[in-house]
Amino acid sequence: TAIERDFIEKIIELKKEKGYTILAHNYQIGELQDIADITGDSLQLARLATEIENDKILFLGVDFMAETLKILNPSKKIIVPTKGSTCPMANSLTPEIIKEFKEKYPEAPVVLYVNSTAACKVYADYTCTSANAVDVVSKIDSDIVLFGPDKNLGSYVAEKTGKKVIPIPGDTGYCYVHNRFSAEDVKKVREEHPDAKIIIHPESPKEARDLCDYIGSTGQMMKFPETDDAKEFIIGTEVGMIHKLENTFKDKKFYPLKELAICNNMKKNNLKNVYLSLLNEEHEIELPEEIMEKAKIPILNMFKIME
Ligand code: 13P
Ligand code: SF4
């Protein structure tokens, strides 16, 4: 619409004038992915953030991702359009729960999914993302790990590494968007699109994962169609992913595994609050120095172990 075009023009002007680089996660609405300088999965965004020379970043995603950027770039100014974009899965784990598990399993290193709060990362030995969770855990010199907060990613890691993965907090740690994918959903789309390849995020339950053709992070999902001859793909993750896939692979077709796989928090950013965010240069991510210093260690350990 004309109003949307107007906002987009203003955002591009303000971005230049105020000197911001815009980073967006793959689940953002299409219009925002299109105005971003860089889009990616959580691992790509975390890595790239350290390579960007610009010291002003507007981040479009959810709070734990913005916190990770700040932890890796403490001197940069990181702003987000709303402080209300959070991740219920990340919030399902607390430092107290981690401490309880550490007491029970003192020999087990703590591996936290980046989808966790900075306060929790303070107690982790390593972080991981969905793109490298299997790699990180397989390289850790221990046959047992405490892993959280995503129980589904934890079960995937256990399956792939053969290690004992103790989920923390346990049954309550999951992403409500991915946890809803069922075996029935996969069977249904398989019938509807028999020639399509079905790709799914590892945050999904095992019963659904087991029936799919490929399991990967959103960044890995972007690479898969390049290497596969199929013309149609079913995408088992948040629906925002479809936009980038369609734009990148114009001769292939993409359908969501479920139309209603929507992360409400990822969708809290819109053209209007992005415009206001640049105009007022708010809301800035601020974290206590001590938390940043401690939370940085497991993130750097992740980068190191992957080298
Ligand atoms: P990735 O982009 O790392 O695959 O993460 C998915 C996710 O759920 C982020 O909130
Ligand atoms: Fe959290 Fe799931 Fe939303 Fe990602 S998609 S931010 S894991 S609720």
Short mmCIF file of all heavy atoms in Angstrom, two decimals, residues 169-227:
data_model
loop_
_atom_site.label_atom_id
_atom_site.label_comp_id
_atom_site.label_asym_id
_atom_site.label_seq_id
_atom_site.Cartn_x
_atom_site.Cartn_y
_atom_site.Cartn_z
N PRO A 169 15.03 -27.04 31.27
CA PRO A 169 14.38 -27.47 32.50
C PRO A 169 13.71 -28.85 32.40
O PRO A 169 13.32 -29.40 33.41
CB PRO A 169 13.31 -26.39 32.72
CG PRO A 169 12.95 -25.93 31.35
CD PRO A 169 14.24 -26.00 30.57
N GLY A 170 13.58 -29.43 31.20
CA GLY A 170 12.91 -30.71 31.06
C GLY A 170 11.71 -30.56 30.15
O GLY A 170 11.78 -29.88 29.13
N ASP A 171 10.59 -31.14 30.58
CA ASP A 171 9.41 -31.20 29.73
C ASP A 171 8.81 -29.85 29.34
O ASP A 171 8.11 -29.72 28.35
CB ASP A 171 8.33 -32.01 30.47
CG ASP A 171 7.99 -33.25 29.68
OD1 ASP A 171 8.74 -33.54 28.72
OD2 ASP A 171 7.00 -33.92 30.03
N THR A 172 9.10 -28.82 30.14
CA THR A 172 8.49 -27.50 29.86
C THR A 172 9.34 -26.66 28.90
O THR A 172 8.96 -25.55 28.54
CB THR A 172 8.31 -26.70 31.17
OG1 THR A 172 9.58 -26.71 31.86
CG2 THR A 172 7.24 -27.32 32.05
N GLY A 173 10.48 -27.19 28.47
CA GLY A 173 11.35 -26.41 27.58
C GLY A 173 11.12 -26.76 26.12
O GLY A 173 11.58 -27.79 25.63
N TYR A 174 10.37 -25.94 25.43
CA TYR A 174 10.14 -26.17 24.00
C TYR A 174 9.66 -24.89 23.34
O TYR A 174 9.21 -23.96 24.01
CB TYR A 174 9.11 -27.30 23.78
CG TYR A 174 7.77 -27.03 24.41
CD1 TYR A 174 6.81 -26.24 23.76
CD2 TYR A 174 7.47 -27.54 25.67
CE1 TYR A 174 5.59 -25.97 24.35
CE2 TYR A 174 6.24 -27.26 26.27
CZ TYR A 174 5.31 -26.48 25.60
OH TYR A 174 4.10 -26.21 26.19
N CYS A 175 9.74 -24.85 22.02
CA CYS A 175 9.23 -23.71 21.25
C CYS A 175 7.80 -24.03 20.85
O CYS A 175 7.56 -25.04 20.19
CB CYS A 175 10.10 -23.49 20.02
SG CYS A 175 9.26 -22.50 18.77
N TYR A 176 6.88 -23.16 21.24
CA TYR A 176 5.46 -23.48 20.98
C TYR A 176 5.14 -23.50 19.49
O TYR A 176 4.15 -24.09 19.08
CB TYR A 176 4.53 -22.51 21.73
CG TYR A 176 4.53 -21.10 21.21
CD1 TYR A 176 3.58 -20.67 20.29
CD2 TYR A 176 5.50 -20.19 21.62
CE1 TYR A 176 3.59 -19.37 19.80
CE2 TYR A 176 5.52 -18.89 21.14
CZ TYR A 176 4.57 -18.48 20.22
OH TYR A 176 4.58 -17.21 19.73
N VAL A 177 5.96 -22.88 18.68
CA VAL A 177 5.70 -22.87 17.23
C VAL A 177 6.07 -24.24 16.63
O VAL A 177 5.29 -24.85 15.90
CB VAL A 177 6.52 -21.76 16.53
CG1 VAL A 177 6.24 -21.74 15.04
CG2 VAL A 177 6.24 -20.40 17.15
N HIS A 178 7.25 -24.73 16.97
CA HIS A 178 7.72 -25.99 16.39
C HIS A 178 7.17 -27.23 17.09
O HIS A 178 6.99 -28.27 16.47
CB HIS A 178 9.26 -26.03 16.44
CG HIS A 178 9.89 -25.01 15.54
ND1 HIS A 178 10.19 -23.74 15.95
CD2 HIS A 178 10.25 -25.08 14.24
CE1 HIS A 178 10.73 -23.06 14.95
NE2 HIS A 178 10.77 -23.85 13.90
N ASN A 179 6.92 -27.10 18.39
CA ASN A 179 6.47 -28.26 19.15
C ASN A 179 5.10 -28.76 18.68
O ASN A 179 4.72 -29.89 18.95
CB ASN A 179 6.43 -27.91 20.65
CG ASN A 179 6.38 -29.14 21.52
OD1 ASN A 179 7.21 -30.03 21.39
ND2 ASN A 179 5.40 -29.22 22.41
N ARG A 180 4.38 -27.90 17.96
CA ARG A 180 3.05 -28.29 17.49
C ARG A 180 3.08 -29.15 16.23
O ARG A 180 2.05 -29.67 15.81
CB ARG A 180 2.21 -27.04 17.20
CG ARG A 180 1.71 -26.37 18.45
CD ARG A 180 0.70 -25.30 18.08
NE ARG A 180 0.52 -24.37 19.19
CZ ARG A 180 0.49 -23.06 19.06
NH1 ARG A 180 0.63 -22.51 17.86
NH2 ARG A 180 0.32 -22.29 20.10
N PHE A 181 4.22 -29.27 15.57
CA PHE A 181 4.28 -30.11 14.37
C PHE A 181 4.15 -31.58 14.79
O PHE A 181 4.89 -32.04 15.65
CB PHE A 181 5.60 -29.93 13.62
CG PHE A 181 5.78 -28.55 13.02
CD1 PHE A 181 7.01 -27.90 13.09
CD2 PHE A 181 4.74 -27.91 12.37
CE1 PHE A 181 7.18 -26.64 12.53
CE2 PHE A 181 4.90 -26.65 11.81
CZ PHE A 181 6.13 -26.01 11.90
N SER A 182 3.21 -32.29 14.18
CA SER A 182 2.99 -33.69 14.56
C SER A 182 3.27 -34.62 13.38
O SER A 182 3.40 -34.17 12.23
CB SER A 182 1.53 -33.89 15.00
OG SER A 182 0.68 -33.69 13.89
N ALA A 183 3.33 -35.92 13.69
CA ALA A 183 3.51 -36.92 12.63
C ALA A 183 2.35 -36.81 11.63
O ALA A 183 2.55 -36.91 10.42
CB ALA A 183 3.58 -38.31 13.25
N GLU A 184 1.15 -36.56 12.15
CA GLU A 184 -0.04 -36.44 11.27
C GLU A 184 0.13 -35.29 10.29
O GLU A 184 -0.22 -35.39 9.12
CB GLU A 184 -1.33 -36.20 12.10
CG GLU A 184 -1.96 -37.47 12.63
CD GLU A 184 -1.03 -38.22 13.56
OE1 GLU A 184 -0.43 -37.56 14.45
OE2 GLU A 184 -0.85 -39.44 13.38
N ASP A 185 0.66 -34.16 10.78
CA ASP A 185 0.87 -32.99 9.88
C ASP A 185 1.78 -33.39 8.72
O ASP A 185 1.55 -33.03 7.58
CB ASP A 185 1.54 -31.83 10.64
CG ASP A 185 0.63 -31.23 11.70
OD1 ASP A 185 -0.59 -31.28 11.52
OD2 ASP A 185 1.17 -30.73 12.71
N VAL A 186 2.84 -34.12 9.05
CA VAL A 186 3.81 -34.47 8.01
C VAL A 186 3.18 -35.46 7.02
O VAL A 186 3.30 -35.33 5.80
CB VAL A 186 5.11 -35.06 8.62
CG1 VAL A 186 6.12 -35.42 7.53
CG2 VAL A 186 5.74 -34.08 9.61
N LYS A 187 2.45 -36.44 7.57
CA LYS A 187 1.80 -37.43 6.68
C LYS A 187 0.80 -36.75 5.75
O LYS A 187 0.70 -37.09 4.57
CB LYS A 187 1.06 -38.48 7.53
CG LYS A 187 2.01 -39.49 8.18
CD LYS A 187 1.20 -40.52 8.96
CE LYS A 187 2.10 -41.24 9.95
NZ LYS A 187 1.36 -41.77 11.10
N LYS A 188 0.09 -35.77 6.27
CA LYS A 188 -0.93 -35.07 5.48
C LYS A 188 -0.28 -34.32 4.31
O LYS A 188 -0.71 -34.44 3.16
CB LYS A 188 -1.68 -34.10 6.40
CG LYS A 188 -2.93 -33.54 5.79
CD LYS A 188 -3.79 -32.87 6.88
CE LYS A 188 -4.69 -31.83 6.27
NZ LYS A 188 -4.22 -30.46 6.39
N VAL A 189 0.79 -33.55 4.58
CA VAL A 189 1.42 -32.81 3.47
C VAL A 189 2.10 -33.76 2.49
O VAL A 189 2.18 -33.47 1.30
CB VAL A 189 2.44 -31.74 3.91
CG1 VAL A 189 1.76 -30.55 4.54
CG2 VAL A 189 3.52 -32.29 4.79
N ARG A 190 2.58 -34.88 2.99
CA ARG A 190 3.21 -35.87 2.12
C ARG A 190 2.18 -36.36 1.09
O ARG A 190 2.49 -36.53 -0.08
CB ARG A 190 3.74 -37.02 2.97
CG ARG A 190 4.55 -38.05 2.29
CD ARG A 190 5.96 -37.69 1.91
NE ARG A 190 6.96 -37.81 2.95
CZ ARG A 190 8.18 -37.28 2.83
NH1 ARG A 190 8.54 -36.60 1.74
NH2 ARG A 190 9.07 -37.41 3.78
N GLU A 191 0.95 -36.56 1.57
CA GLU A 191 -0.12 -36.99 0.66
C GLU A 191 -0.48 -35.89 -0.32
O GLU A 191 -0.70 -36.12 -1.51
CB GLU A 191 -1.37 -37.37 1.46
CG GLU A 191 -1.40 -38.85 1.77
CD GLU A 191 -2.57 -39.22 2.66
OE1 GLU A 191 -3.64 -38.60 2.55
OE2 GLU A 191 -2.38 -40.13 3.49
N GLU A 192 -0.55 -34.67 0.18
CA GLU A 192 -0.94 -33.53 -0.67
C GLU A 192 0.12 -33.19 -1.71
O GLU A 192 -0.18 -32.73 -2.81
CB GLU A 192 -1.23 -32.30 0.20
CG GLU A 192 -2.53 -32.41 0.97
CD GLU A 192 -2.65 -31.36 2.09
OE1 GLU A 192 -1.73 -30.53 2.26
OE2 GLU A 192 -3.66 -31.40 2.80
N HIS A 193 1.39 -33.34 -1.34
CA HIS A 193 2.50 -32.99 -2.24
C HIS A 193 3.51 -34.14 -2.31
O HIS A 193 4.60 -34.06 -1.74
CB HIS A 193 3.24 -31.73 -1.74
CG HIS A 193 2.36 -30.54 -1.58
ND1 HIS A 193 2.07 -29.68 -2.61
CD2 HIS A 193 1.70 -30.06 -0.50
CE1 HIS A 193 1.28 -28.72 -2.18
NE2 HIS A 193 1.04 -28.92 -0.91
N PRO A 194 3.13 -35.23 -2.99
CA PRO A 194 3.98 -36.43 -2.95
C PRO A 194 5.39 -36.22 -3.52
O PRO A 194 6.31 -36.94 -3.15
CB PRO A 194 3.19 -37.45 -3.76
CG PRO A 194 2.14 -36.69 -4.48
CD PRO A 194 1.90 -35.43 -3.76
N ASP A 195 5.58 -35.24 -4.38
CA ASP A 195 6.92 -35.03 -4.97
C ASP A 195 7.77 -34.04 -4.19
O ASP A 195 8.93 -33.80 -4.55
CB ASP A 195 6.78 -34.53 -6.42
CG ASP A 195 6.07 -35.56 -7.28
OD1 ASP A 195 6.24 -36.76 -7.00
OD2 ASP A 195 5.32 -35.15 -8.19
N ALA A 196 7.18 -33.44 -3.17
CA ALA A 196 7.92 -32.40 -2.44
C ALA A 196 8.88 -33.00 -1.43
O ALA A 196 8.64 -34.08 -0.90
CB ALA A 196 6.93 -31.48 -1.73
N LYS A 197 9.99 -32.29 -1.17
CA LYS A 197 10.89 -32.68 -0.08
C LYS A 197 10.42 -31.92 1.16
O LYS A 197 10.09 -30.72 1.07
CB LYS A 197 12.33 -32.27 -0.40
CG LYS A 197 12.98 -33.18 -1.45
CD LYS A 197 13.51 -34.46 -0.81
CE LYS A 197 13.83 -35.55 -1.81
NZ LYS A 197 14.98 -35.26 -2.66
N ILE A 198 10.39 -32.62 2.28
CA ILE A 198 9.92 -31.98 3.52
C ILE A 198 11.13 -31.67 4.40
O ILE A 198 11.88 -32.59 4.76
CB ILE A 198 8.92 -32.87 4.27
CG1 ILE A 198 7.80 -33.31 3.31
CG2 ILE A 198 8.35 -32.14 5.48
CD1 ILE A 198 6.72 -34.18 3.96
N ILE A 199 11.30 -30.39 4.71
CA ILE A 199 12.42 -30.01 5.57
C ILE A 199 11.88 -29.41 6.87
O ILE A 199 10.87 -28.71 6.87
CB ILE A 199 13.45 -29.10 4.84
CG1 ILE A 199 12.86 -27.78 4.38
CG2 ILE A 199 14.01 -29.79 3.63
CD1 ILE A 199 13.82 -26.98 3.50
N ILE A 200 12.55 -29.74 7.95
CA ILE A 200 11.99 -29.36 9.26
C ILE A 200 13.10 -28.88 10.20
O ILE A 200 14.25 -29.28 10.07
CB ILE A 200 11.21 -30.57 9.87
CG1 ILE A 200 10.26 -30.12 10.99
CG2 ILE A 200 12.17 -31.64 10.38
CD1 ILE A 200 9.19 -31.13 11.35
N HIS A 201 12.70 -28.02 11.13
CA HIS A 201 13.65 -27.46 12.10
C HIS A 201 13.84 -28.45 13.25
O HIS A 201 12.87 -29.09 13.68
CB HIS A 201 13.09 -26.12 12.62
CG HIS A 201 14.11 -25.26 13.26
ND1 HIS A 201 14.50 -25.45 14.57
CD2 HIS A 201 14.83 -24.23 12.77
CE1 HIS A 201 15.43 -24.54 14.86
NE2 HIS A 201 15.65 -23.78 13.78
N PRO A 202 15.06 -28.57 13.80
CA PRO A 202 15.27 -29.53 14.89
C PRO A 202 14.58 -29.16 16.21
O PRO A 202 14.62 -29.96 17.15
CB PRO A 202 16.80 -29.56 15.06
CG PRO A 202 17.29 -28.30 14.47
CD PRO A 202 16.32 -27.93 13.38
N GLU A 203 13.95 -27.99 16.28
CA GLU A 203 13.14 -27.67 17.47
C GLU A 203 11.81 -28.44 17.44
O GLU A 203 10.99 -28.30 18.34
CB GLU A 203 12.83 -26.17 17.52
CG GLU A 203 13.99 -25.30 17.95
CD GLU A 203 13.64 -23.82 17.94
OE1 GLU A 203 12.45 -23.47 17.83
OE2 GLU A 203 14.57 -23.01 18.01
N SER A 204 11.59 -29.23 16.39
CA SER A 204 10.33 -29.97 16.26
C SER A 204 10.43 -31.33 16.93
O SER A 204 11.53 -31.89 17.06
CB SER A 204 10.01 -30.17 14.77
OG SER A 204 10.19 -28.95 14.07
N PRO A 205 9.29 -31.90 17.33
CA PRO A 205 9.31 -33.20 18.04
C PRO A 205 9.82 -34.33 17.14
O PRO A 205 9.66 -34.29 15.92
CB PRO A 205 7.84 -33.44 18.41
CG PRO A 205 7.15 -32.15 18.21
CD PRO A 205 7.94 -31.35 17.23
N LYS A 206 10.39 -35.34 17.78
CA LYS A 206 10.98 -36.47 17.06
C LYS A 206 9.98 -37.14 16.13
O LYS A 206 10.32 -37.51 15.00
CB LYS A 206 11.52 -37.48 18.08
CG LYS A 206 12.13 -38.71 17.45
CD LYS A 206 12.82 -39.58 18.48
CE LYS A 206 13.19 -40.96 17.92
NZ LYS A 206 13.98 -40.93 16.69
N GLU A 207 8.74 -37.30 16.58
CA GLU A 207 7.74 -38.01 15.76
C GLU A 207 7.55 -37.32 14.41
O GLU A 207 7.33 -37.97 13.39
CB GLU A 207 6.40 -38.15 16.49
CG GLU A 207 5.75 -36.79 16.84
CD GLU A 207 4.25 -36.90 17.08
OE1 GLU A 207 3.86 -37.65 17.99
OE2 GLU A 207 3.47 -36.22 16.38
N ALA A 208 7.67 -35.99 14.37
CA ALA A 208 7.54 -35.26 13.10
C ALA A 208 8.87 -35.29 12.34
O ALA A 208 8.92 -35.56 11.14
CB ALA A 208 7.12 -33.81 13.38
N ARG A 209 9.97 -35.04 13.06
CA ARG A 209 11.31 -35.04 12.45
C ARG A 209 11.59 -36.32 11.69
O ARG A 209 12.09 -36.31 10.56
CB ARG A 209 12.38 -34.93 13.55
CG ARG A 209 12.66 -33.56 14.02
CD ARG A 209 13.88 -33.49 14.94
NE ARG A 209 14.25 -34.62 15.74
CZ ARG A 209 14.24 -34.66 17.08
NH1 ARG A 209 13.81 -33.62 17.78
NH2 ARG A 209 14.64 -35.72 17.73
N ASP A 210 11.22 -37.45 12.32
CA ASP A 210 11.55 -38.76 11.76
C ASP A 210 10.92 -39.00 10.39
O ASP A 210 11.38 -39.84 9.63
CB ASP A 210 11.12 -39.88 12.72
CG ASP A 210 12.13 -40.05 13.85
OD1 ASP A 210 13.21 -39.41 13.78
OD2 ASP A 210 11.85 -40.81 14.78
N LEU A 211 9.84 -38.29 10.08
CA LEU A 211 9.16 -38.52 8.80
C LEU A 211 9.61 -37.53 7.73
O LEU A 211 9.09 -37.53 6.62
CB LEU A 211 7.64 -38.41 9.01
CG LEU A 211 7.04 -39.40 10.01
CD1 LEU A 211 5.55 -39.12 10.20
CD2 LEU A 211 7.25 -40.83 9.52
N CYS A 212 10.57 -36.65 8.05
CA CYS A 212 10.97 -35.61 7.09
C CYS A 212 12.24 -36.01 6.32
O CYS A 212 12.94 -36.93 6.69
CB CYS A 212 11.18 -34.29 7.82
SG CYS A 212 9.62 -33.67 8.49
N ASP A 213 12.52 -35.26 5.24
CA ASP A 213 13.66 -35.60 4.39
C ASP A 213 14.94 -34.89 4.82
O ASP A 213 16.04 -35.32 4.50
CB ASP A 213 13.35 -35.20 2.94
CG ASP A 213 12.12 -35.91 2.44
OD1 ASP A 213 12.10 -37.15 2.49
OD2 ASP A 213 11.15 -35.22 2.05
N TYR A 214 14.79 -33.75 5.51
CA TYR A 214 15.99 -33.00 5.91
C TYR A 214 15.68 -32.23 7.18
O TYR A 214 14.58 -31.69 7.34
CB TYR A 214 16.39 -32.02 4.78
CG TYR A 214 17.58 -31.17 5.12
CD1 TYR A 214 18.86 -31.71 5.16
CD2 TYR A 214 17.43 -29.81 5.44
CE1 TYR A 214 19.95 -30.93 5.51
CE2 TYR A 214 18.52 -29.02 5.77
CZ TYR A 214 19.78 -29.59 5.80
OH TYR A 214 20.87 -28.82 6.14
N ILE A 215 16.66 -32.19 8.09
CA ILE A 215 16.49 -31.47 9.36
C ILE A 215 17.58 -30.40 9.42
O ILE A 215 18.77 -30.71 9.24
CB ILE A 215 16.64 -32.45 10.56
CG1 ILE A 215 15.59 -33.56 10.47
CG2 ILE A 215 16.52 -31.71 11.89
CD1 ILE A 215 15.84 -34.74 11.39
N GLY A 216 17.19 -29.15 9.66
CA GLY A 216 18.23 -28.11 9.73
C GLY A 216 17.73 -26.80 10.30
O GLY A 216 16.52 -26.55 10.40
N SER A 217 18.69 -25.95 10.64
CA SER A 217 18.39 -24.61 11.14
C SER A 217 17.83 -23.78 9.98
O SER A 217 17.87 -24.23 8.82
CB SER A 217 19.67 -23.94 11.64
OG SER A 217 20.47 -23.58 10.53
N THR A 218 17.37 -22.57 10.26
CA THR A 218 16.81 -21.76 9.18
C THR A 218 17.90 -21.42 8.15
O THR A 218 17.63 -21.34 6.96
CB THR A 218 16.13 -20.48 9.72
OG1 THR A 218 17.10 -19.64 10.35
CG2 THR A 218 15.02 -20.81 10.69
N GLY A 219 19.12 -21.24 8.61
CA GLY A 219 20.23 -20.96 7.68
C GLY A 219 20.51 -22.17 6.79
O GLY A 219 20.73 -22.04 5.59
N GLN A 220 20.47 -23.36 7.41
CA GLN A 220 20.71 -24.58 6.63
C GLN A 220 19.56 -24.85 5.66
O GLN A 220 19.78 -25.36 4.57
CB GLN A 220 20.92 -25.77 7.60
CG GLN A 220 22.24 -25.66 8.34
CD GLN A 220 22.34 -26.54 9.57
OE1 GLN A 220 21.33 -26.92 10.17
NE2 GLN A 220 23.55 -26.86 9.97
N MET A 221 18.36 -24.45 6.06
CA MET A 221 17.20 -24.60 5.16
C MET A 221 17.39 -23.77 3.88
O MET A 221 16.87 -24.12 2.83
CB MET A 221 15.92 -24.13 5.85
CG MET A 221 15.39 -25.10 6.86
SD MET A 221 13.88 -24.45 7.59
CE MET A 221 13.51 -25.77 8.74
N MET A 222 18.09 -22.66 4.01
CA MET A 222 18.33 -21.79 2.86
C MET A 222 19.26 -22.44 1.85
O MET A 222 19.27 -22.09 0.68
CB MET A 222 18.96 -20.46 3.30
CG MET A 222 18.01 -19.44 3.85
SD MET A 222 16.59 -19.11 2.82
CE MET A 222 17.33 -18.43 1.34
N LYS A 223 20.09 -23.37 2.33
CA LYS A 223 21.07 -23.99 1.43
C LYS A 223 20.52 -25.25 0.77
O LYS A 223 20.93 -25.63 -0.32
CB LYS A 223 22.34 -24.32 2.21
CG LYS A 223 22.99 -23.08 2.77
CD LYS A 223 24.47 -23.29 3.09
CE LYS A 223 25.07 -22.04 3.72
NZ LYS A 223 25.09 -22.12 5.20
N PHE A 224 19.59 -25.93 1.47
CA PHE A 224 19.15 -27.24 1.01
C PHE A 224 18.59 -27.26 -0.42
O PHE A 224 18.98 -28.12 -1.23
CB PHE A 224 18.15 -27.85 2.01
CG PHE A 224 17.72 -29.23 1.66
CD1 PHE A 224 18.61 -30.30 1.78
CD2 PHE A 224 16.44 -29.49 1.19
CE1 PHE A 224 18.21 -31.58 1.44
CE2 PHE A 224 16.04 -30.76 0.84
CZ PHE A 224 16.93 -31.82 0.97
N PRO A 225 17.70 -26.32 -0.80
CA PRO A 225 17.11 -26.39 -2.15
C PRO A 225 18.14 -26.27 -3.27
O PRO A 225 17.91 -26.72 -4.39
CB PRO A 225 16.14 -25.20 -2.19
CG PRO A 225 15.87 -24.89 -0.76
CD PRO A 225 17.12 -25.22 -0.02
N GLU A 226 19.28 -25.69 -2.95
CA GLU A 226 20.36 -25.52 -3.92
C GLU A 226 20.94 -26.86 -4.33
O GLU A 226 21.35 -27.07 -5.47
CB GLU A 226 21.46 -24.73 -3.21
CG GLU A 226 22.23 -23.76 -4.05
CD GLU A 226 23.09 -22.93 -3.12
OE1 GLU A 226 24.16 -23.42 -2.70
OE2 GLU A 226 22.67 -21.81 -2.81
N THR A 227 20.96 -27.78 -3.35
CA THR A 227 21.62 -29.06 -3.58
C THR A 227 20.63 -30.17 -3.92
O THR A 227 21.01 -31.33 -4.05
CB THR A 227 22.38 -29.48 -2.30
OG1 THR A 227 21.43 -29.52 -1.24
CG2 THR A 227 23.47 -28.51 -1.95
#
